[in-house]
């Protein structure tokens, strides 16, 4: 595998099958410079992920990446927080920001997330947090969701996803519960940002098997991590692999 | 120190100099040019005249007016924002799509916490208020031999004013401050962003069920409070010999005095003020920026603003329904 420089024109993905459906996620010449120094800048980011594809991005900057938030059409694109923004991010063929607020939120409900910083709603218990997205956006019976949650919990070494306070759970347990939350309900897109952080090595294979199952059901997966070991879990699945360089502005390099 | 030295320790000139502290340079100039006493008074007068001549008096008056205008603009803007939130909640609430099961659950929890859990305390307050007010009114009316007035008085005191006010107060104290604090903590902890990242609208999930829950709870609690106040007042009054009428006659006396305006008055004074309290508490909580500085203030600020809204709406309703403000007939 050798690194190659980023071409000036958008990359044409080298996927085995040519599909007519629009990609599930598409970054088109996205450049963002943020006022918040906790986030790295990005410049001329171009990639797309279609149904059943996995894309990995190796982060080399120690700062957080804005790509997960950009992928879900979230805050870094708000003008008040950015110094400069250009380009388009499309989900399911439609750019973020092109529809009404309610429609965009409904679309965001089809995305499973494991973010770099653990994110829990503190006035709900762990089980309510895990079920919240599915209960809010679907009509699936609660019992059915609970059964699925239980099955997933067993697979990653949890006896159950307990209705306990967030503060009563260990960091590894909470992180694995985030996996359950992200994969629950077969979402269209799953964004994983350093999902194996704080989790014991013995559970990593379970996560990779979940990714394999999800892509088999047509889900697109975007996996970002600083750890090569983590990304190697899905190396046989990833259609396209990228690395973020250290230089500012950061650019994606295609690794083939 | 310098003033004391200049005016020679005479209090009245100290007072003039203190009030006209701004005029001190002019006073000093006159002190140097004239005799001491004349210098101080003359200096102050001249300072004032200078203000007029040089337009400073007009400028100072304008600066007060400007400040008043700024405050009025800010307060008016805040009030308009709260009303806008309440109206937005009503608009959202009429659409079935705004009520997924997660939102219904939040609404149910809010009704439970704000309404149902407050019934015990409301009954205790109603008992005490009923006892105190009804018995006192009856005793005094006996003294002026105008017992026919009692039903009217009970109704006006409880249904129009005391009942809605106490229900609002109970909700502000028990629930309003808790709502503001809870939402403030969610804001600073990033919980609101977590909800948005999962495609959940904070307005729909956090604000709407709370505003409606508080509104309906105030209405329900006010009904309970007024009803129980009448019952408790009658029971105790009968026991101590203040009332001689049968329960049926007592109730009939009350109902005879009931007017359409009383019902018109009661609903907005409970439902509308309750919703405004809910909106104020939600807005106050979600506006927080700095956890360390603002968090301790959130509960108190929401309570004060909530009470202000209750009084303001009561005044508006009195004007529009009865044409009165307090005892003054306006139209």
């Amino acid at each position: 595998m050798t690194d190659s420089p980023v071409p000036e024109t958008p990359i044409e993905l080298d996927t085995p099958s040519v599909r007519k459906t629009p990609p599930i996620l598409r970054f088109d010449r996205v450049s963002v410079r943020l006022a918040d120094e906790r986030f790295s800048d990005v410049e001329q980011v171009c990639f797309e992920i279609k149904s059943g594809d996995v894309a990995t991005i190796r982060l080399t900057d120690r700062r957080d990446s804005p790509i997960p938030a950009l992928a879900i059409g979230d805050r870094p694109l708000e003008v008040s927080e950015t110094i400069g923004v250009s380009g388009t991010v499309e989900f399911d063929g439609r750019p973020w920001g092109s529809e009404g607020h309610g429609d965009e939120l409904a679309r965001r409900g089809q995305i499973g997330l494991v973010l770099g910083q653990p994110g829990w709603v503190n006035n709900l218990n762990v089980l309510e947090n895990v079920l919240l997205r599915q209960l809010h956006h679907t009509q699936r019976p609660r019992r059915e969701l609970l059964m699925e949650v239980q099955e997933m919990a067993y697979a990653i070494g949890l006896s159950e996803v307990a209705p306990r306070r967030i503060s009563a759970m260990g960091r590894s347990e909470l992180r694995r519960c985030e996996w359950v939350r992200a994969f629950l309900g077969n979402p269209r897109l799953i964004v994983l940002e350093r999902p194996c952080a704080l989790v014991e090595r013995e559970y990593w294979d379970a996560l990779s098997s979940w990714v394999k199952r999800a892509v088999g059901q047509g889900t697109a997966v975007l996996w970002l991590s600083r750890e090569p070991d983590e990304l190697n879990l899905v190396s046989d699945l990833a259609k396209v692999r990228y690395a973020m360089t250290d230089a500012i502005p950061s650019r994606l390099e295609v690794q083939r | 120190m310098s003033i004391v030295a200049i005016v020679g320790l005479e209090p009245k000139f100290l007072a003039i100099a203190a009030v006209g502290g701004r005029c001190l340079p002019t006073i000093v100039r006159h002190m140097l040019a004239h005799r001491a006493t004349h210098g101080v008074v003359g200096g102050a007068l001249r300072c004032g005249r200078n203000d007029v001549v040089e337009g400073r008096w007009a400028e100072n008056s304008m600066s007060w007016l400007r400040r008043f205008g700024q405050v009025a603009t800010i307060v008016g803007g805040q009030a308009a924002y709260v009303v806008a939130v309440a109206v937005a909640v009503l608009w959202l609430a009429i659409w079935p799509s705004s009520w997924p099961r997660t939102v219904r659950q939040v609404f149910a929890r809010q009704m439970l916490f704000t309404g149902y859990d407050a019934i015990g305390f409301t009954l205790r307050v109603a008992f005490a208020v009923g006892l105190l007010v009804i018995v006192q009114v009856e005793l005094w009316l006996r003294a002026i031999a105008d017992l026919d007035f009692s039903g009217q008085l009970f109704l006006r005191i409880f249904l129009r004013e005391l009942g809605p006010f106490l229900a609002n107060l109970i909700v502000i104290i028990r629930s309003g401050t808790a709502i503001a604090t809870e939402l403030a903590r969610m804001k600073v902890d990033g919980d609101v962003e977590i909800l948005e990242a999962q495609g959940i609208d904070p307005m729909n999930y956090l604000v709407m069920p709370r505003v409606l829950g508080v509104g309906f709870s105030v209405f329900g609690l006010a009904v309970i409070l007024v009803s129980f106040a009448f019952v408790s007042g009658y029971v105790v009054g009968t026991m101590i010999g203040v009332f001689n009428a049968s329960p049926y006659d007592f109730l009939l006396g009350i109902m005879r005095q009931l007017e359409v305006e009383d019902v018109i008055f009661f609903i907005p004074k409970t439902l509308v003020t309750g919703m405004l309290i809910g909106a104020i508490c939600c807005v106050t909580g979600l506006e927080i920026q700095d956890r360390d500085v603002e968090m301790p203030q959130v509960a108190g600020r929401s309570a004060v603003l909530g009470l202000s809204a209750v009084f303001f709406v009561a005044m508006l309703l009195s004007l529009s329904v009865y044409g009165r403000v307090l005892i003054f007939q306006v139209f």
Side-chain angles (χ1 to χ4, degrees):
Chain A
M1 189 171 71
T2 56
D3 291 349
S4 55
V6 178
E8 291 302 319
T9 52
I11 298 162
E12 198 65 40
L13 280 185
D14 178 20
T15 54
S17 58
V18 177
R19 301 181 189 90
K20 295 193 175 74
T21 54
I24 288 181
L25 183 68
R26 183 164 179 260
F27 274 57
D28 183 15
R29 293 193 182 93
V30 175
S31 299
V32 175
R33 289 186 62 211
L34 297 171
D36 192 337
E37 289 181 354
R38 290 173 300 164
F39 290 94
S40 58
D41 299 337
V42 293
E43 185 174 308
Q44 294 293 308
V45 172
C46 294
F47 68 88
E48 57 183 42
I49 317 172
K50 293 193 173 176
S51 175
D53 281 354
V54 176
T56 61
I57 297 179
R58 185 164 64 85
L59 304 171
T60 52
D61 194 322
R62 299 311 298 175
R63 292 174 293 173
D64 290 332
S65 170
I67 288 182
L70 290 165
I72 65 172
D74 203 359
R75 289 174 179 274
L77 287 179
E78 285 181 5
V79 175
S80 59
E81 295 179 352
T82 60
I83 298 170
V85 58
S86 64
T88 318
V89 181
E90 293 179 7
F91 173 68
D92 243 354
R94 286 163 288 167
W96 288 117
S98 64
E99 295 181 328
H101 186 58
D103 293 331
E104 301 243 318
L105 288 172
R107 288 207 293 154
R108 206 179 282 164
Q110 300 175 63
I111 303 174
L113 280 176
V114 177
L115 294 174
Q117 299 297 328
W120 297 97
V121 180
N122 287 289
N123 70 341
L124 301 176
N125 62 41
V126 177
L127 183 59
E128 286 169 335
N129 265 281
V130 168
L131 295 173
L132 183 63
R133 183 172 60 85
Q134 286 292 292
L135 286 175
H136 191 83
H137 292 290
T138 73
Q139 301 298 322
R140 290 179 68 191
R142 187 183 173 91
R143 186 177 297 185
E144 187 182 308
L145 289 169
L146 284 171
M147 284 174 57
E148 188 177 336
V149 164
Q150 196 58 53
E151 188 187 310
M152 294 170 82
Y154 282 144
I156 50 173
L158 296 172
S159 57
E160 60 169 350
V161 175
R164 293 192 295 177
R165 306 306 300 171
I166 308 292
S167 53
M169 301 276 284
R171 292 194 301 175
S172 170
E173 287 178 308
L174 278 176
R175 197 62 167 162
R176 282 177 276 155
C177 288
E178 285 191 83
W179 297 357
V180 176
R181 182 173 65 179
F183 282 83
L184 188 64
N186 194 28
R188 292 278 285 150
L189 170 69
I190 296 176
V191 178
L192 303 171
E193 185 184 10
R194 294 181 278 127
C196 297
L198 308 172
V199 179
E200 296 86 344
R201 190 66 179 81
E202 66 196 271
Y203 302 118
W204 290 18
D205 291 334
L207 180 61
S208 74
S209 69
W210 285 7
V211 170
K212 284 177 186 138
R213 189 173 67 185
V215 298
Q217 291 169 345
T219 302
V221 177
L222 174 62
W223 191 319
L224 303 94
S225 180
R226 295 192 187 102
E227 304 299 325
D229 286 348
E230 216 180 278
L231 296 176
N232 286 339
L233 290 171
V234 289
S235 57
D236 55 333
L237 290 174
K239 297 290 189 274
V240 190
R241 281 164 277 176
Y242 299 94
M244 302 290 284
T245 65
D246 285 316
I248 293 171
S250 299
R251 301 168 71 89
L252 284 186
E253 291 191 341
V254 177
Q255 296 179 310
R256 296 186 187 280
Chain B
M1 181 66 181
S2 58
I3 293 175
V4 169
I6 288 167
V7 303
L9 297 176
E10 292 200 43
K12 59 182 172 185
F13 301 122
L14 274 173
I16 294 171
V19 168
R22 178 179 50 79
C23 299
L24 190 56
T26 315
I27 292 172
V28 170
R29 282 200 295 275
H30 269 259
M31 284 297 299
L32 295 173
H34 304 278
R35 287 187 356 234
T37 54
H38 178 70
V40 170
V41 173
L45 283 172
R46 189 163 193 92
C47 181
R49 195 169 75 104
N50 285 348
D51 280 354
V52 173
V53 166
E54 297 170 20
R56 276 204 292 270
W57 177 84
E59 190 185 304
N60 291 336
S61 302
M62 285 306 294
S63 75
W64 283 106
L65 268 173
R66 194 180 306 124
R67 269 181 233 141
F68 177 77
Q70 282 171 344
V71 169
T73 305
I74 290 169
V75 169
Q78 287 275 17
Y81 183 60
V82 167
V83 170
V85 168
V87 170
V89 161
L90 286 173
W91 174 251
L92 264 179
I94 62 176
W95 302 103
S97 59
S98 299
W99 292 95
R101 50 192 156 172
T102 48
V103 174
R104 294 199 302 268
Q105 188 179 40
V106 174
F107 177 68
R109 277 183 187 164
Q110 195 61 55
M111 289 292 297
L112 182 72
F113 175 66
T114 303
Y116 182 77
D117 284 350
I119 288 177
F121 180 64
T122 302
L123 289 174
R124 291 194 292 278
V125 170
F127 178 80
V129 168
L131 171 69
L132 293 169
V133 174
I134 286 182
V135 170
Q136 284 296 318
V137 163
E138 189 67 20
L139 281 171
W140 282 103
L141 288 179
R142 276 180 189 272
I144 61 173
D146 192 358
L147 294 172
D148 289 340
F149 190 55
S150 62
Q152 212 179 87
L153 202 56
F154 300 153
L155 204 67
R156 287 185 179 183
I157 290 173
F158 280 110
L159 194 64
R160 293 186 188 181
E161 302 298 339
L162 209 53
F165 174 73
L166 285 174
N168 279 298
L169 189 63
I170 288 170
V171 165
I172 287 172
I173 293 168
R174 281 194 84 257
S175 302
T177 51
I179 289 171
T181 309
E182 181 192 20
L183 292 183
R185 193 200 43 74
M186 288 184 77
K187 175 79 188 294
V188 295
D189 284 347
D191 292 4
V192 177
E193 293 172 0
I194 300 297
L195 289 172
E196 287 182 311
Q198 297 181 78
I200 297 169
D201 185 1
M203 179 70 179
N204 189 204
Y205 181 75
L206 296 177
V207 176
M208 186 188 76
R210 282 169 174 77
V211 170
L212 291 176
V214 172
F216 285 119
S217 294
V218 169
F219 176 77
L221 288 173
V223 169
I224 291 171
L225 196 145
V226 169
S227 308
F228 199 67
F230 281 128
V231 168
S232 66
Y234 173 77
V235 166
V236 175
T238 304
M239 281 166 58
I240 64 175
V242 172
F243 293 132
N244 297 319
S246 69
Y248 176 76
D249 289 336
F250 179 75
L251 186 62
L252 206 61
I254 303 276
M255 296 305 290
R256 249 189 253 124
Q257 304 299 329
L258 194 64
E259 296 169 358
V260 174
E261 286 90 357
D262 295 326
V263 179
I264 296 171
F265 200 60
F266 186 81
I267 293 173
K269 221 176 177 189
T270 51
L271 204 55
V272 171
T273 50
M275 286 183 59
L276 287 177
I277 289 167
I280 285 168
C281 295
C282 289
V283 166
T284 311
L286 291 172
E287 271 181 346
I288 188 173
Q289 299 291 332
D290 186 325
R291 176 201 288 268
D292 294 329
V293 173
E294 296 181 53
M295 189 66 105
Q297 302 168 351
V298 154
R301 191 158 65 223
S302 64
V304 167
L305 291 174
L307 266 176
S308 304
V310 168
F311 285 126
F312 185 72
V313 169
M315 188 184 74
L316 265 182
L317 285 169
S318 280
L319 258 179
S320 55
V321 177
Y322 298 108
R324 281 180 187 276
V325 175
L326 300 177
I327 61 171
F328 306 106
Q329 188 76 40
V330 177
F331 49 77

